[in-house]
Each structure stands twice: as structure tokens, then as C-alpha cells.
Amino acid sequence: MSNLADVLVIADQLQGDLQPIALELLGAARGLAEKLGVKVQALVMGHELGDIPQRLIWNGADEVFVVDQPELKEYTTLTYRRATISVLEGMSRPPHIVLCGATTIGRDLAPRIAAYFETGLTADCTELDIGEYEHKGKADPSKVGTFHNCLYAIRPSFGESLKARIIGPWKNPQMATARTGAMVPCGEDTTRTGKITVIPVKFEDSDFRVKVIETVRDVSKAVDLTGARVIVSGGFGLASAEGFRLVEDLASVFKKSAVGASRKAVDAGWIPYAHQVGQTGKTVRPALYIALGISGAIQHRVGITHSDVILAVNKDESAPIFQFANYGIVGDLFEIAPLLKENFKKAFPASKEV
Amino acid sequence: MSDGYRIVVLIKQVPDTSSKAGVNPDGTIDRARAKRMLNTFDKYALQKALEVKAAHGGEVLAISMGPPPALEILVEACEYGADKGYLLTDRRLAASDTLSTAYALHKAVQYLGRVDLVFTGLQTTDGDTAQTGPQIAERLDLPQITYCERLEIVDGKARVRRVVEGGYQWLETPLPALITVANSATKLQHKRFGGVYAVKELQRHKERMDQTVFIVDLDKVGADSNKAGLVGSPTVVGKTWKMGEIGGSCVMFLGDSPKHNVEHLMARLKEDNRHIEELIQ
């Protein structure tokens, strides 16, 4: 065992339902921990968590910290902040690395934790690795030196066709949030064993300042972009909110399909943010991705790179999307989308298997 | 409250990536040549701030951190209806990461004295981290609500509809609080200086600018320069590289009628054995 501290994953769960991002982060953490020669820890917070701690062990954690109290039944920033800080401050060795999902929970909680510990946090990573770093910066002599076992937090950089490796070895824990769909789980192994520790947390009155009045989660309507086998996405070429009917209509042909959107379509207010695919939205891995009227800005490309097949429809044959799609049709999407619907059904009668 | 709310909105000037100006052939941005704009999400935040002021009275104070040209967006915010603008500008702020940005900005907020509501955009279009808002809330010990899409003030509390995976949540927070705005049902209204008198009105407004937009530095807001800028940043960009070129082998269908193009595509999908039949309802 090395003398480094461990890698901790903050595992998202909702109403006792372990979220896929938690398993993805455990997969990423295993990779990092093996390179460092350390253990994978997981922190899960909530109420009536049932077998979740055990499942975290089966999915790659060596040690699980559990905070299971009624105050945590529903996520709120300040209660989960208190629980996270209590657990981290109570550890004999604070973790070397802390990973969080880039979800509406992780992106809400992680920055507060990083600010509390005054440590670095890299947002929305698409890759994580371990490596060396030599800092020669004359501008800031306090940072100069060669550092080993750094977290390499890799993310696409703002609207450019660049990736950036963010480094922060001067402060521990080194923190990152990772996008849903970007990391790969290590798979469940029910023979794996590990240590589960329940930690009691004492809250303060100020932790309850924000009240949840109601939560509306419609699972049937939930935009499951990360779990979809087929995604049909619309962009600025749709020209209006009504244009998304075409997108929905084409998506209805497929099993396990979802409607996606480019940032420009979301910014125009045609469709809710939850549908956004790409750098600020979600990374997706469908078998088939159909892009209607999407030019293919770099942010979007980053989000769909892992699709098996990308089909693009755009009236501009020089649109960047044709540089990375597998198949492209140049033409008017308002004509082509209904034709696609009709022909997909005709050419590929649904397979009989259930 | 008799004198209404003191509302702060934090805004940032970002490169306009939708314009070709200042974009180098390799895709990097030359910030000196790029067109500049008010960050999209900050427009929603400004809109929310102005709505609260319109409904309940008070004043809207815009703060930005950035180099001197960022004054433009503070003037713009005032043209939309903000009462005052403050630019925190200081050479020592160069190369700030989110932690040190949040440190400097929370000092700027504190400099303004009593504040009831702080609005920020969900994230910027250049940094894309969505971290600065919550990090400022932590420094100011404020409750926060992120991903706000609707907001109303009821009995001196903010009720906010927050986007969550698969739906939304209504939350209620006492004031003061910090809210990051993901989108807004309403777009920013027309600037105040419209119509026939626009030119004169704008001229008069510009003359008043020295009482409307203020420039402050780290010392003025009482910030510790060791916690700001590069020195105060626990992270640095270690390396950047161009994303690998992908594709270049797109099979294009463009020479025929839409009907034929689609039919040829189907044939090609079969030929390439893409197993589409497994995906059909």
C-alpha cells in the first residue's frame, strides 16, 4: 500500500435509488486508485438507504461511509453540505481525491465543499487520470516544483476545439465532477467485500434554511438521454419550438429513444435545459444519434463522440457536423425528417425479439 | 420592507464564440480580437433581478470582475434597468480559477453592504463550470438555489423552481440568498432608452455614468491579494491540446431528391450492417 490517502466518490442516490453516475464514478475511481496503490472510498447520504452501501462495495468501493438520517431524505444543499463536511473532517486522513457527479446535485454540492476546504475543483470532466506535473511558473513562485500522483482532470475547454488538463496538487483533496456517461462502471461483483461505516451527523438550525415545497419527477417523462439507445436531437435549424414536434415524431419510431437538443435550441427557449446534449449538457452513448439542423459546434461534438452511429441532416453541406457524422443528408430537414420516419419503418421492420 | 430589496447581480463579459471574429484557425480564441458579449446566462439573471425590483421595489446593483473593457456590460446592464454597476478590475486578478474568482467577488458583494438577494447566471459560456455562484454563497454563508427557472417573492421569502433530472422542484429560502439562474421564461425587455429621444436620453445617461458605474480594485473591496488571482488559485491549466480530428469519412447523400437520398441512406445502413432493426419499435 502506498502512503497516499484514498480516492473518495460521493455517490448520488435519489429516494433510495442508486444513480448510474455513482457506478460510473466508482469505475473511474478504481482506475485512479489502482494507479496510486490506494483504496476506493464512497460516501452515500440519504434516508432508508437499504442495500445501497452493499451495492457500492459490489461496484468497486473498498470502504463505504454512510450517513442515513431522516433529515437527508431529500437532497438540500445545506444538509448534504453539513454531512459531507462532517464525514471528511472526521476522517483520520482526508482523501487525496474526491469525485462527484456533474449532476444537478453534484454541481450544487461540490463547489460548496471545495470552497469550504479552499481546495481546487474541476468541473464536468470527460477523462480522469494520474500523472506528474512540473510547475515552472515564474508568475507564482509559491507553486514551483515537481509533483507526483496528481489528479489529471481533463475537460473540453470553452467552446474551443481544445482539451485542457487541469492540475491542482498544492491542496488536498483534489476535486472533480464528472459528466454522466463519460466514465465507465467496473461492473457488479457480488463476491467483493469491504467495510461499511455508519456515521452520525449533528445538524445545526441554519442547515434547514431552505425548504423543499414539492418535487415533481415524472419518470415516464424524464429525459433519459444517458440511458437512451436512440437519440434524435434538434438544433437551431428547427427555427422554432414547434420544430421539436418533428424531432419527437421521428423519435417515436425507435425503442428506448429520447429527444435531445443543441445548446442554441435550448438558449432560444424552444426546449427545456434538461434536453441539452453537449459540453454543458450530457455526454451520451446511444447506438444511433440523429442530429436535425445542428451545425455541430465543438461542445456538441464532445457530447456525442461516443455514439455508435451518427446521422446528420443539415441544409448546409459545409456544416462542421458532417466532419464527424457517419452519414449525412444535405437538405431541408422539414422534408427529410418525415421521410426518415417513413423509411426507417419500411426498411427495418421491428425485430421480433422482445 | 419599505425601501424594497437590495439586489446584486453578478455578470461576466465573455468572448462571443458564435462570431468568427478572433477565432484562430486551430480553434483557439484570441481574446484580444474576439467579439465580446454579456454571458447568456447572466442575461437571465439580470432579468430576474429586474423582475424582483419591478414587483417589490428596491435597487439592482450589477457587479463584474474583468479587464477594463468589461465596463461595457455594466453600462449595458444599467441601460436595461440596473441602478448601478461596479467593475472589480485589478492586474492581480489575472489567471483566477473559480475558487479565487469567488473569493474576489464575495469581497465585492460585501463591499456593497446589506444585500437581500444575489443573482448569478448558472454558468458562463467561456468557463462552463457553474461553480462560482455556489462558491460565493459558501463564502458569504448564504443559502443557495441553483438551476433556477422560475422565481417569486412571497412574504419576504424567495420561492424558486429548480430544474432537476426528470422534473423540477419548488424550494423556499429566506433572504438573503444566492440564486443561480438557468433560464428565464421572459427575455430581457427593451433597453430603457428607446424611441424618439433615444440619442439624447442616452447622451444624458452617459453623462451620469460617473455616478452610475464605478471601478474598484482588490484594495478598495478589502480583499487579501494572496487569496485572489493566480496566487490564490489552487488549480492551473497544466496543458491544453487540440482534440483529435475524428471522422472525415462521412457518407454523404446530397445529389438526389430528398426521397431518393433517404432511400439510399437506408440501403447503405443495411449494407454497413448497422443493426438498425434492433432499435425500431
Side-chain angles (χ1 to χ4, degrees):
Chain A
M1 249 357 200
S2 85
N3 60 356
L4 290 165
D6 299 315
V7 179
L8 177 100
V9 166
I10 297 179
D12 269 19
Q13 62 82 32
L14 284 177
Q15 271 83 43
D17 211 1
L18 190 56
Q19 297 300 291
I21 181 73
L23 308 183
E24 293 164 16
L25 290 176
L26 284 172
R30 276 252 63 90
L32 300 176
E34 274 155 26
K35 284 183 179 154
L36 295 166
V38 301
K39 293 201 302 278
V40 172
Q41 301 169 320
L43 163 61
V44 63
M45 297 169 274
H47 186 45
E48 295 169 336
L49 292 170
D51 67 349
I52 286 181
Q54 186 58 56
R55 287 187 55 209
L56 291 168
I57 301 271
W58 291 342
N59 282 278
D62 301 303
E63 190 173 7
V64 180
F65 302 105
V66 184
V67 187
D68 187 329
Q69 292 176 212
E71 298 92 336
L72 299 173
K73 185 160 178 58
E74 183 118 51
Y75 172 81
T76 71
T77 313
L78 297 175
T79 51
Y80 276 57
R81 168 193 174 275
R82 174 75 57 200
T84 306
I85 290 169
S86 297
V87 171
L88 288 172
E89 287 188 329
M91 289 167 79
S92 50
R93 292 179 77 193
H96 184 62
I97 291 168
V98 173
L99 304 179
C100 248
T103 57
T104 58
I105 289 178
R107 293 182 96 188
D108 187 77
L109 179 66
R112 286 206 77 131
I113 304 302
Y116 177 84
F117 289 109
E118 296 193 341
T119 191
L121 171 64
T122 306
D124 227 8
C125 298
T126 50
E127 295 164 59
L128 297 165
D129 204 350
I130 299 290
E132 270 197 7
Y133 177 62
E134 187 184 355
H135 193 79
K136 299 175 185 158
K138 290 192 180 67
D140 179 10
S142 72
K143 288 194 169 73
V144 171
T146 302
F147 302 87
H148 304 280
N149 303 312
C150 304
L151 174 66
Y152 282 178
I154 297 154
R155 68 190 303 257
S157 84
F158 48 88
E160 306 183 42
S161 42
L162 290 179
K163 280 191 179 175
R165 178 194 291 162
I166 311 295
I167 306 283
W170 302 277
K171 276 271 193 168
N172 273 357
Q174 296 167 46
M175 293 182 66
T177 61
R179 201 180 299 179
T180 310
M183 309 288 156
V184 183
C186 43
E188 189 158 282
D189 170 3
T190 52
T191 64
R192 273 188 61 91
T193 54
K195 187 174 156 200
I196 296 174
T197 311
V198 178
I199 297 178
V201 168
K202 200 168 160 296
F203 292 96
E204 295 180 11
D205 287 349
S206 64
D207 299 333
F208 302 106
R209 281 177 283 179
V210 178
K211 306 255 182 302
V212 179
I213 301 166
E214 98 177 301
T215 303
V216 179
R217 273 201 179 85
D218 184 342
V219 180
S220 66
K221 275 199 191 150
V223 191
D224 185 12
L225 286 169
T226 45
R229 304 259 351 253
V230 178
I231 295 174
V232 186
S233 275
F236 210 58
L238 289 173
S240 72
E242 286 66 52
F244 271 92
R245 287 199 199 132
L246 272 180
V247 179
E248 286 162 20
D249 212 34
L250 179 52
S252 71
V253 172
F254 301 100
K255 280 191 285 214
K256 276 202 84 176
S257 65
V259 170
S262 72
R263 175 189 214 144
K264 269 181 123 174
V266 172
D267 280 352
W270 300 339
I271 189 161
Y273 176 80
H275 292 266
Q276 189 168 308
V277 173
Q279 189 179 335
T280 52
K282 299 183 179 76
T283 298
V284 295
R285 299 170 179 268
L288 174 62
Y289 187 91
I290 303 177
L292 301 176
I294 294 176
S295 63
I298 187 69
Q299 298 95 327
H300 202 81
R301 177 182 133 181
V302 169
I304 68 173
T305 306
H306 297 296
S307 311
D308 295 344
V309 177
I310 299 171
L311 162 62
V313 179
N314 199 302
K315 64 176 189 291
D316 173 9
E317 67 178 277
S318 66
I321 194 144
F322 293 127
Q323 291 165 20
F324 57 93
N326 305 90
Y327 303 92
I329 296 186
V330 178
D332 178 359
L333 67 92
F334 294 94
E335 248 184 300
I336 289 164
L339 285 167
L340 282 173
K341 183 184 174 184
E342 182 190 331
N343 282 274
F344 266 120
K345 280 194 197 158
K346 214 160 46 180
F348 300 99
S351 54
K352 298 289 176 281
E353 52 174 313
V354 178
Chain B
M1 237 183 281
S2 55
D3 55 350
Y5 294 107
R6 285 195 97 217
I7 306 156
V8 165
V9 57
L10 298 168
I11 60 179
K12 185 182 181 189
Q13 190 174 53
V14 295
D16 181 353
T17 48
S18 65
S19 94
K20 297 270 184 285
V23 180
N24 299 323
D26 68 352
T28 55
I29 292 174
D30 177 350
R31 283 176 180 254
R33 286 188 302 122
K35 268 180 69 179
R36 298 182 297 262
M37 60 181 276
L38 172 57
N39 174 44
T40 307
F41 289 99
D42 298 350
K43 289 182 184 169
Y44 306 144
L46 178 58
Q47 175 62 18
K48 285 277 177 281
L50 294 171
E51 283 170 12
V52 173
K53 180 189 160 178
H56 303 276
E59 57 177 345
V60 173
L61 310 170
I63 300 178
S64 185
M65 170 177 142
L71 269 176
E72 294 161 5
I73 58 165
L74 291 166
V75 172
E76 189 180 344
C78 291
E79 288 172 353
Y80 279 119
D83 297 279
K84 289 188 179 130
Y86 297 84
L87 177 66
L88 174 61
T89 187
D90 197 310
R91 282 173 174 275
R92 293 168 293 178
L93 287 167
S96 295
D97 73 358
T98 59
L99 189 85
S100 64
T101 298
Y103 170 77
L105 281 170
H106 104 279
K107 281 296 189 188
V109 174
Q110 284 179 332
Y111 168 76
L112 299 182
R114 192 203 94 210
V115 167
D116 301 301
L117 267 165
V118 181
F119 286 105
T120 74
L122 171 68
Q123 60 197 46
T124 57
T125 50
D126 61 348
D128 262 335
T129 71
Q131 290 174 181
T132 308
Q135 293 192 317
I136 292 167
E138 179 66 27
R139 297 269 192 189
L140 294 170
D141 189 25
L142 289 178
Q144 76 189 36
I145 299 178
T146 53
Y147 293 90
C148 155
E149 54 178 356
R150 289 195 205 165
L151 167 123
E152 52 201 37
I153 306 283
V154 184
D155 302 331
K157 291 180 172 166
R159 283 193 167 197
V160 177
R161 198 173 113 162
R162 174 179 196 260
V163 181
V164 296
E165 282 81 5
Y168 59 85
Q169 218 172 23
W170 278 101
L171 300 162
E172 186 180 82
T173 178
L175 305 184
L178 182 142
I179 291 163
T180 80
V181 186
N183 57 42
S184 176
T186 41
K187 287 267 182 267
L188 270 173
Q189 299 307 305
H190 292 294
K191 293 185 182 180
R192 279 198 302 198
F193 308 105
V196 187
Y197 301 108
V199 178
K200 276 186 179 169
E201 183 75 62
L202 187 58
Q203 190 54 43
R204 272 206 293 276
H205 181 74
K206 285 200 165 132
E207 284 160 13
R208 289 199 310 267
M209 264 300 147
D210 59 348
Q211 301 146 53
T212 309
V213 176
F214 304 89
I215 295 178
V216 292
D217 63 8
L218 285 171
D219 302 330
K220 184 90 181 168
V221 300
D224 172 357
S225 62
N226 286 319
K227 290 191 167 190
L230 181 63
V231 183
S233 297
T235 61
V236 299
V237 178
K239 184 181 161 189
T240 58
W241 62 96
K242 225 181 138 164
M243 278 189 209
E245 287 304 319
I246 48 172
S249 58
C250 186
V251 184
M252 298 290 277
F253 300 88
L254 70 170
D256 230 321
S257 67
K259 186 171 173 293
H260 282 115
N261 281 337
V262 171
E263 285 168 357
H264 294 157
L265 165 72
M266 297 298 150
R268 183 65 193 249
L269 286 169
K270 276 185 187 166
E271 203 178 305
D272 291 351
N273 211 1
R274 293 292 194 176
H275 301 294
I276 301 294
E277 61 285 349
E278 294 171 13
L279 306 171
I280 303 285
Q281 281 277 31

